[in-house]
């Protein structure tokens, strides 16, 4: 049983902190943060492109296109933000040795992430088949909306896979109570995905 | 400051992997930063030869006012690929991946970069991307220059999408290298190697790596958008569908202006190593040179729109871009004056590396001055899209970056191979290259002032004399470059054995055997001061065993 | 009670819960040392702000546009 072996996480043979681990962890942490910075620049470039096109004097939303459905997107956003909160508590519980709670929190996070993806899929379906908006055929609206939210959705998808791998790894005893850099990185990544959505939600739905 | 502290007990510095024995793991899929650096250098020079052939195609075409050597279509393909290759496959990989990998981990006293596997990955992306770029010739290469402005690039041949994909991959490779270098310099310096004791080449890399990491990602976004628009018809840049061609220019130059600093800051670093070594004098203004690199890197993000003065920006936007561009001349000028002051009163050794470094000073200053001209809006409106611009960026890229690369090759070749390059061939190389270079690109200044446009395969007959002069001079330059390759092929076999420190240089990489051992240092040294204080004893402790027969450090066991 | 009303209610309730949790976590985490915790604090702050934004959107204060004829 996966959860049962998580609870033994802190007691394996190489649980001791050594200098090599401390230094390697610092390198990986910094490398991962820099990766997030460059990923952030990727999003920023597309956001710049979107705002630039939006302000190029054609009016927004462009003729023939409805406003996006704010209420549904707000619910979906709350789902994603909630997953950020559960992820935070998953890591907190791991730090304090509550491996069972950690596992449940992580599972919640994954479920909420999948829920967000389903919500986005529903929204896409509605837009494409009901409002007849498409990626290539709806001018700059379709281009910017589907590119940015699609890119974000892809990040969420990667994040869900990542967290699933982390769940299996922690069940398999890869991490210990003191050595859990993979979980830190996963939490950082998931928070990053959430925070990007704060920006995307604001500029696409509320502006 | 932790000078007295014992070198990290049981940390990364003591965790040595055994040297791989199989050929493939040693020389092909190597994770050793020195081998990867040499791989970058070899691959970069292969692409350099290809780009040089394209350049000669251009010059042969321009021998006559009516061209006739290649068709106008082919001519457009040739200069587009020439520019793309030189920027992304020659200068950037040679300066960052090549010299960066090879030299700076040695200079900061590390055993390798922070992420050796990532380093191998970023190398191997690079030749694949290069092959993709050249394969675009098979399906019709891009024709809109290395900048690929829409709408021409949207209507370009099928190879334009291949171009976008190839440059995207090079960008991924650059980004990974940038992350790797930042972490390495931040975290893996030897004990006592504070930031203000780092050799200036490391400062050059340290200023470049964040640019690689941040700016290149912005380019990736632009390329992805171009690719999507071409392949799937997603409108970003096509004005008939509501897109904006100027958007591409913003996204492209937001990368490509920092990219010109990516291409010059490491060359600044090389020159800052070569000049004090061969003047036998401490470098003048160490901190100023180091911090001005950072200032240039930072300001480089705020000037991109000076490439777009003719694109219809609002005047209130143009003015700050012009002013900030002028401001960049200040840190650059600080560097030029510091280097000149380093030479002043020194005991100058005219080795080939030194000649190239001094040539760099002259030519880069000229290119920098025309850069100031072009940053002035009224002047730029007049000369945008003429050969004056071509002259300007060849003075900074060939006269600056490429001279820096050659200087670095003559300087560090002994460290790579254990043998010196022939000085006699090297002097011939320098003089042929220097004279040929000026003969090729100096006339372009006045061709541009008289209004000869770029990107066109034919020209008005009144320009024929100086074009022929430039073409013939370019053959002289090519002859110099051929001598350089001959020199390498000759010296790697028959060159004089260099020994550990043929130049009497003082940075860390010269205190260990050439070529260095797999593990770089037997013991990680402790650093006590700047490396440039000639006449003082070396500021390192713990290097006593490097050049004798004491056994190497024990490997941490096979993993 | 139609679907849109339920959506509004869920957004408001969820927004309140997430904002409270995020800001409480931020408060608890305020003094934890370490590079990654600095990043976590920033992320939690933005997460809380995002939840408040979603809450305001659910209340109809933000993003409440008059219907436009298609």
């Amino acid at each position: 049983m996966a959860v049962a072996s998580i609870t033994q996480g802190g007691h394996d043979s190489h649980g001791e902190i050594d200098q090599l681990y401390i230094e390697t962890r610092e390198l990986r942490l910094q490398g991962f943060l820099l990766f997030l910075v460059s990923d952030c620049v990727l999003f920023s470039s597309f956001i710049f492109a979107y705002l630039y096109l939006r302000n190029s004097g054609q009016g927004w939303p462009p003729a023939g296109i409805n406003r996006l459905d704010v209420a549904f997107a707000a619910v979906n956003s709350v789902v994603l933000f909630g997953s950020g909160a559960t992820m935070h508590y998953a890591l907190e519980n791991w730090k304090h040795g509550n491996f069972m709670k950690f596992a449940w929190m992580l599972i919640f996070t994954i479920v909420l992430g999948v829920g967000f993806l389903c919500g986005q899929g529903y929204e896409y379906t509605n837009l494409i088949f009901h409002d007849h908006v498409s990626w290539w055929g709806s001018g700059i609206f379709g281009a910017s909306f589907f590119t940015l939210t699609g890119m974000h959705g892809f990040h969420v998808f990667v994040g869900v896979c990542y967290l699933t791998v982390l769940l299996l790894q922690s069940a398999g005893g890869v991490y210990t109570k003191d050595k859990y850099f993979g979980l830190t990185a996963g939490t950082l990544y998931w928070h990053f995905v959430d925070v990007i959505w704060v920006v995307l939600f604001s500029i696409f739905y509320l502006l | 400051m932790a000078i007295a502290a014992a070198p990290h007990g049981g940390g990364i510095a003591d965790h040595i992997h055994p040297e791989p024995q199989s050929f493939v793991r040693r020389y092909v899929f190597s994770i050793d930063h020195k081998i990867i650096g040499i791989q970058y250098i070899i691959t970069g020079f292969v692409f350099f030869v290809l780009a040089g052939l394209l350049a000669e195609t251009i010059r042969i075409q321009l021998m006559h006012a009516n061209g006739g050597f290649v068709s106008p279509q082919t001519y457009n393909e040739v200069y587009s690929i020439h520019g793309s290759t030189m920027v992304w496959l020659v200068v950037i990989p040679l300066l960052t991946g090549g010299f960066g990998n090879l030299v700076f981990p040695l200079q900061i006293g590390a055993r390798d970069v922070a992420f050796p596997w990532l380093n191998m990955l970023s190398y191997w992306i690079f030749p694949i991307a290069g092959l993709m770029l050249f394969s675009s010739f098979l399906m019709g290469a891009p024709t809109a220059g290395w900048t690929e402005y829409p709408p021409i690039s949207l209507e370009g041949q099928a190879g334009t999408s291949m171009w976008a994909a190839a440059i995207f991959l090079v960008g991924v490779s650059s980004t990974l290298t940038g992350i790797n270098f930042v972490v390495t310099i931040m975290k893996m310096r030897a004990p006592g190697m504070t930031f203000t004791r780092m050799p200036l080449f490391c400062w050059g890399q340290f200023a470049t790596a964040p640019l690689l990491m941040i700016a290149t990602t912005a380019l990736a976004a632009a390329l992805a958008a171009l690719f999507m628009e071409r392949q799937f018809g997603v409108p970003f840049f096509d004005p008939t569908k509501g897109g904006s061609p100027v958007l591409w220019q913003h996204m492209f130059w937001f990368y490509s202006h920092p990219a010109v600093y990516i291409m010059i800051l490491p060359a600044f670093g090389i020159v800052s190593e070569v000049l004090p070594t061969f003047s036998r004098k401490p470098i003048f203004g160490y901190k100023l040179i180091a911090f001005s690199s950072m200032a240039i890197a930072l300001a480089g993000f705020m000037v991109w729109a000076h490439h777009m003065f003719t694109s219809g920006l609002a005047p209130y936007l143009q003015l700050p871009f012009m002013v900030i561009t002028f401001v960049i001349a200040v840190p650059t000028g600080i560097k030029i004056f510091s280097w000149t002051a380093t030479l002043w009163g020194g005991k100058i050794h005219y080795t080939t590396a030194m000649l190239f470094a001094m040539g760099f000073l002259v030519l880069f200053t000229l290119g920098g001055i025309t850069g100031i001209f072009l940053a002035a809006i009224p002047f730029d409106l007049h000369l945008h899209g003429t050969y004056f611009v071509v002259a300007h960026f060849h003075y900074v890229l060939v006269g600056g970056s490429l001279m820096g690369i050659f200087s670095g090759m003559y300087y560090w070749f002994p460290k790579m191979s254990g043998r010196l390059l022939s000085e006699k061939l090297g002097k011939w190389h320098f003089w042929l290259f220097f004279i040929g270079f000026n003969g090729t690109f100096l006339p372009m200044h006045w061709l541009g002032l008289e209004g000869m446009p770029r990107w066109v395969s034919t020209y008005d007959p009144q320009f024929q004399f100086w074009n022929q002069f430039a073409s013939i001079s370019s053959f002289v330059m090519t002859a110099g470059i051929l001598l350089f390759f001959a020199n390498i092929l000759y010296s790697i076999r028959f060159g004089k054995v260099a020994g550990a420190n043929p130049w009497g240089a003082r940075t860390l990489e010269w205190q260990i055997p050439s070529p260095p051992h797999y593990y770089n240092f037997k013991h990680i040294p402790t650093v006590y001061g700047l490396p440039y204080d000639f006449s003082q004893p070396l500021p390192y402790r713990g290097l006593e065993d490097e050049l004798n027969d004491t056994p190497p450090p024990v490997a941490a066991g096979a993993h | 009670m139609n679907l849109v009303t339920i959506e509004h209610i869920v957004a408001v309730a969820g927004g309140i819960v997430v904002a409270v949790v995020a800001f409480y976590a931020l408060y608890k985490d305020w003094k934890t040392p370490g590079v990654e915790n600095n990043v976590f604090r920033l992320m939690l702050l933005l997460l809380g702000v995002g939840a408040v934004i979603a809450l305001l959107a659910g209340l109809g204060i933000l993003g409440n546009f008059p219907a436009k004829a298609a």
Side-chain angles (χ1 to χ4, degrees):
Chain A
M1 173 69 201
V3 177
S5 63
I6 292 177
T7 54
Q8 296 160 5
H11 309 292
D12 74 342
S13 55
H14 48 91
E16 196 180 311
I17 292 268
D18 49 297
Q19 185 68 19
L20 182 67
Y21 175 76
I22 294 174
E23 290 181 16
T24 319
R25 181 181 180 280
E26 269 192 31
L27 296 184
R28 289 187 183 159
L29 177 64
Q30 198 166 36
F32 196 81
L33 288 176
L34 291 176
F35 157 72
L36 291 184
V37 167
S38 63
D39 208 8
C40 186
V41 175
L42 188 68
F43 275 104
S44 312
S45 304
F46 275 111
I47 289 171
F48 169 79
Y50 158 67
L51 293 175
Y52 185 90
L53 291 174
R54 183 181 161 133
N55 289 316
S56 59
Q58 306 166 42
W60 197 267
I65 290 169
N66 290 323
R67 278 269 169 198
L68 291 159
D69 182 358
V70 178
F72 181 76
V75 173
N76 215 13
S77 308
V78 165
V79 169
L80 190 65
F81 299 154
S83 79
T86 54
M87 189 65 215
H88 182 80
Y89 277 100
L91 187 68
E92 283 297 307
N93 278 315
W94 182 275
K95 282 185 195 165
H96 293 114
N98 305 327
F99 301 112
M100 202 65 190
K101 276 189 184 166
F102 157 81
W104 280 115
M105 280 297 179
L106 192 53
I107 290 168
F108 274 143
T109 312
I110 294 169
V111 169
L112 288 172
V114 172
F116 174 79
L117 284 177
C118 293
Q120 207 176 19
Y122 171 76
E123 193 180 358
Y124 274 20
T125 325
N126 239 353
L127 272 177
I128 294 169
F129 295 107
H130 185 255
D131 290 353
H132 304 290
V133 177
S134 72
W135 189 29
W136 48 81
S138 304
I140 51 179
F141 178 86
S144 50
F145 178 77
F146 284 109
T147 305
L148 264 168
T149 55
M151 208 163 80
H152 177 262
F154 178 72
H155 274 77
V156 176
F157 175 72
V158 170
V160 166
C161 297
Y162 188 7
L163 294 184
T164 313
V165 169
L166 286 180
L167 184 66
L168 295 177
Q169 277 186 334
S170 51
V174 173
Y175 305 108
T176 68
K177 185 168 179 294
D178 301 314
K179 293 183 176 181
Y180 54 88
F181 177 69
L183 302 177
T184 312
T187 313
L188 280 171
Y189 181 83
W190 194 256
H191 275 317
F192 169 76
V193 169
D194 281 351
V195 165
I196 291 289
W197 185 252
V198 176
V199 179
L200 292 187
F201 175 64
S202 313
I203 60 173
F204 274 112
Y205 295 88
L206 305 180
L207 211 56
Chain B
M1 220 157 20
I3 299 175
H8 343 259
I12 291 170
D14 293 333
H15 186 78
I16 302 162
H17 290 253
E19 186 173 5
Q21 294 304 319
S22 74
F23 180 82
V24 171
R25 287 297 309 281
R26 235 177 135 151
Y27 298 114
V28 184
F29 296 107
S30 172
I31 55 169
D32 177 8
H33 71 96
K34 302 180 288 295
I35 300 290
I36 293 175
I38 293 170
Q39 286 176 325
Y40 263 110
I41 288 173
I42 293 172
T43 322
F45 275 117
V46 169
F47 287 124
F48 177 62
V49 171
L50 293 173
L53 290 174
L54 296 174
E56 284 308 329
T57 312
I58 297 172
R59 282 322 316 171
I60 293 171
Q61 165 82 5
L62 296 178
M63 285 280 271
H64 296 286
N66 291 322
F69 182 62
V70 290
S71 69
Q73 173 79 11
T74 314
Y75 179 83
N76 292 352
E77 296 178 3
V78 165
Y79 72 68
S80 303
I81 299 290
H82 164 75
S84 310
T85 311
M86 283 306 290
V87 169
W88 285 298
L89 302 180
V90 180
V91 174
I92 292 179
L94 278 178
L95 282 173
T96 59
F99 287 114
N101 263 319
L102 182 77
V103 177
F104 95 79
L106 295 172
Q107 283 191 334
I108 62 172
R111 293 206 193 275
D112 207 325
V113 291
F115 309 110
W117 283 90
L118 199 64
N119 208 10
M120 178 178 87
L121 181 68
S122 38
Y123 167 72
W124 276 104
I125 293 172
F126 156 54
I128 293 168
L131 289 179
M132 281 170 64
L133 180 63
F134 274 90
S135 74
S136 68
F137 272 117
L138 300 175
M139 53 185 90
T143 50
W146 79 285
T147 55
E148 287 298 318
Y149 277 8
I152 301 179
S153 59
L154 295 178
E155 293 157 6
Q157 311 172 67
T160 311
S161 300
M162 192 54 127
W163 173 89
I167 304 303
F168 185 90
L169 278 184
V170 182
V172 171
S173 158
S174 292
T175 309
L176 298 180
T177 306
I179 292 176
N180 214 339
F181 282 12
V182 173
V183 177
T184 309
I185 296 181
M186 293 286 283
K187 293 285 175 194
M188 296 184 76
R189 283 165 288 129
M193 175 75 79
T194 57
F195 272 108
T196 46
R197 288 176 186 170
M198 272 200 319
L200 285 167
F201 180 75
C202 300
W203 269 104
Q205 293 292 337
F206 188 55
T208 312
L211 297 182
L212 280 176
M213 196 183 82
I214 293 170
T216 314
T217 329
L219 175 73
L223 291 167
L226 183 70
F227 187 87
M228 289 187 286
E229 175 143 12
R230 284 181 51 87
Q231 295 306 112
F232 310 121
V234 181
F236 283 100
F237 307 123
D238 185 350
T240 59
K241 292 177 184 168
S244 162
V246 181
L247 173 64
W248 165 267
Q249 301 182 15
H250 278 296
M251 292 172 87
F252 182 82
W253 287 115
F254 183 76
Y255 159 76
S256 284
H257 199 78
V260 307
Y261 298 118
I262 293 174
M263 291 186 271
I264 200 65
L265 288 172
F268 286 167
I270 293 173
V271 170
S272 310
E273 295 296 321
V274 172
L275 287 176
T277 301
F278 295 113
S279 313
R280 288 291 180 271
K281 246 189 88 190
I283 189 133
F284 183 90
Y286 168 85
K287 281 189 184 168
L288 282 177
I289 295 183
F291 296 153
S292 61
S293 288
M294 302 309 277
I296 291 174
L298 205 65
F301 277 112
M302 295 183 270
V303 294
W304 76 91
H306 66 212
H307 296 268
M308 301 161 53
F309 287 151
T310 56
S311 306
L313 284 184
Y316 63 83
L317 275 178
Q318 292 181 352
L319 209 58
F321 280 109
M322 174 173 97
V323 173
I324 301 173
T325 311
F326 287 158
V327 168
I328 290 190
V330 175
T332 317
I334 288 175
K335 280 178 187 299
I336 301 278
F337 283 118
S338 298
W339 290 324
T340 320
T342 307
L343 290 173
W344 190 56
K347 188 174 188 315
I348 297 178
H349 296 234
Y350 288 99
T351 58
T352 313
M354 184 64 167
L355 284 177
F356 273 107
M358 292 165 84
F360 169 97
L361 271 186
V362 176
L363 299 182
F364 181 78
T365 307
L366 283 174
I369 289 172
T370 50
I372 296 293
F373 289 8
L374 288 171
I377 296 168
F379 194 83
D380 183 71
L381 291 179
H382 182 57
L383 286 174
H384 196 92
T386 69
Y387 262 78
F388 193 86
V389 180
V390 179
H392 158 68
F393 69 70
H394 280 89
Y395 262 82
V396 284
L397 278 182
V398 181
S401 307
L402 209 55
M403 294 286 262
I405 288 172
F406 284 136
S407 177
M409 275 305 280
Y410 281 92
Y411 187 63
W412 279 304
F413 188 79
K415 197 39 75 182
M416 288 181 232
S417 66
R419 288 176 189 273
L420 290 159
L421 284 172
S422 155
E423 283 291 310
K424 198 173 169 194
L425 281 173
K427 300 244 158 74
W428 274 99
H429 167 205
F430 172 74
W431 285 111
L432 286 176
F433 186 80
F434 189 80
I435 293 167
F437 169 79
N438 282 302
T440 311
F441 294 108
L442 199 58
M444 289 186 189
H445 287 109
W446 43 88
L447 285 174
L449 284 170
E450 286 172 18
M452 179 174 165
R454 294 167 70 181
W455 304 305
V456 186
S457 61
T458 56
Y459 50 86
D460 195 281
Q462 58 162 318
F463 302 128
Q464 183 150 322
F465 173 76
W466 284 116
N467 268 297
Q468 286 181 345
F469 186 86
S471 293
I472 291 165
S473 305
S474 80
F475 302 147
V476 177
M477 185 161 73
T478 309
I481 292 168
L482 289 179
L483 275 186
F484 167 68
F485 288 117
N487 195 350
I488 287 189
L489 294 177
Y490 170 81
S491 303
I492 205 154
R493 266 274 167 90
F494 308 109
K496 224 171 82 188
V497 175
N501 192 358
W503 312 122
R506 296 170 59 90
T507 40
L508 265 174
E509 82 271 29
W510 297 106
Q511 315 308 325
I512 53 174
S514 339
H517 294 299
Y518 179 74
Y519 43 82
N520 291 356
F521 299 93
K522 280 179 182 158
H523 311 291
I524 298 293
T526 310
V527 183
Y528 290 89
L530 268 181
Y532 300 109
D533 296 330
F534 286 84
S535 84
Q536 302 286 324
L538 281 174
Y540 310 117
R541 215 168 282 170
L543 287 168
E544 299 79 15
D545 293 337
E546 294 300 336
L547 297 176
N548 60 26
D549 294 336
T550 44
V554 186
H559 283 269
Chain C
M1 200 148 107
N2 62 359
L3 196 63
V4 178
T5 322
I6 298 174
E7 281 177 356
H8 276 110
I9 291 169
V10 173
V12 171
I16 291 171
V17 172
V18 176
V20 167
V21 170
F23 285 124
Y24 179 67
L26 182 64
Y27 167 74
K28 288 267 283 190
D29 221 18
W30 194 248
K31 284 191 175 145
T32 326
V35 183
E36 75 272 30
N37 287 307
N38 286 326
V39 183
F40 281 146
R41 278 189 281 276
L42 179 67
M43 299 286 197
L44 282 175
L45 178 67
L46 290 169
L47 193 65
V49 171
V52 171
I53 289 174
L55 162 74
L56 294 177
L59 287 174
I61 296 173
L62 285 178
N64 188 12
F65 304 103
K68 186 184 163 200

